[in-house]
């Protein structure tokens, strides 16, 4: 009698476990169909040689300065995920980009003296428990030879790093950009092209885009 009860209990437990697994497995399958490993891209010549005193995730405003960077504000958010779609908690996301005049804060940059000193140019955001990161920056602009882009470097705790670039949907020069065109796989190429939508509710006149980064880990 007690054996039967035990079996029944176990059946109940197994049944409940299986029921719990069904939706998560199907969700996982759906995720794995959608997930595209984010392709690596060249670091380029303008990764900072020295870091700014302020390197938070708001590139539009530098601590201690009243001026705000020139350019259209863009909120760039996303999640850092592994290939199974799980968040990579604690991943450090770095970005760097040129200012609204197309000038990087880098000693190798021609015309450096003309740069927008109110633009932070580089920032960091640490992924939270959900893998989420966020930046407040400006909409990237084109400069000679390049379509608008934001450079990314993502450090996964104990699992290496990914250097890549994010692009903007609808940019005419995307089709002829060297680094972007070097991503031969179409799905991989499209995975780094992000739509920026008006986000006036967030901040008047601002844009917002979502760039999820899928690491091959
Ligand atoms: Fe660049």
């Amino acid at each position: 009698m007690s054996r039967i009860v035990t079996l029944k209990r176990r059946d109940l437990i197994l049944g409940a476990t299986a029921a719990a697994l069904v939706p998560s497995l199907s969700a996982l399958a759906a995720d794995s169909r959608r997930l595209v490993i984010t392709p690596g891209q060249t670091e380029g010549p303008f990764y900072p040689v020295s870091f700014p005193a302020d390197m938070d995730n708001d590139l539009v405003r530098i601590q201690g300065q009243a001026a705000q960077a020139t350019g259209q504000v863009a909120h760039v958010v996303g999640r850092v995920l592994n290939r199974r779609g799980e968040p990579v908690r604690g991943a450090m996301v770095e970005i760097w980009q040129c200012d609204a005049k197309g000038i990087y804060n880098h000693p190798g940059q021609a015309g450096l003296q003309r740069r927008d000193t109110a633009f932070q140019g580089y920032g960091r955001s640490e992924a939270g428990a959900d893998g989420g990161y966020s930046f407040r920056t400006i909409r990237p602009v084109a400069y000679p030879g390049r379509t608008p882009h934001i450079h990314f470097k993502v450090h996964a705790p104990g699992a290496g790093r990914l250097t890549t670039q994010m692009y903007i949907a609808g940019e005419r020069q995307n089709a002829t950009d060297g680094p972007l065109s070097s991503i031969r796989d179409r799905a991989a190429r499209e995975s780094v092209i992000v739509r920026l939508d008006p986000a006036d509710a967030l901040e008047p006149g601002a844009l917002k885009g979502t760039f999820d980064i899928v690491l091959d880990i």
Side-chain angles (χ1 to χ4, degrees), residues 104 143 146 149 151:
Y104 284 92
Y143 58 81
R146 292 303 316 276
H149 60 278
H151 294 268

Side-chain angles (χ1 to χ4, degrees), residues 70 97-105 112 114-117 119 121 138-142:
T70 302
Q97 66 182 99
C98 61
D99 66 19
K101 291 184 263 186
I103 298 174
Y104 284 92
N105 183 11
L112 181 62
R114 290 190 293 111
R115 79 180 182 90
D116 177 6
T117 54
F119 182 53
I138 60 168
R139 186 191 205 288
V141 301

Side-chain angles (χ1 to χ4, degrees), residues 156-173:
R161 63 174 185 262
L162 171 75
T163 302
T164 191
Q165 301 183 32
M166 185 199 104
Y167 300 86
I168 311 304
E171 286 290 338
R172 188 173 41 83
Q173 294 181 68

Side-chain angles (χ1 to χ4, degrees), residues 55-60 73-78 80 91-97 119-127 132-139 150-154 166 196 202-203 206-211 213:
M55 49 186 181
D56 66 1
N57 66 340
D58 182 356
L59 283 67
V60 178
V73 173
H75 292 259
V76 177
V77 304
V80 183
M92 179 60 70
V93 182
E94 301 176 276
I95 66 167
W96 66 101
Q97 66 182 99
F119 182 53
Q120 192 171 296
Y122 169 90
R124 294 179 178 181
S125 177
E126 187 178 333
Y133 73 87
S134 66
F135 289 99
R136 179 173 179 255
T137 186
I138 60 168
R139 186 191 205 288
I150 299 176
H151 294 268
F152 275 72
K153 197 182 284 195
V154 182
M166 185 199 104
L196 292 182
L202 204 58
E203 183 174 346
L207 301 167
K208 183 181 177 186
T210 301
F211 180 40
I213 297 163

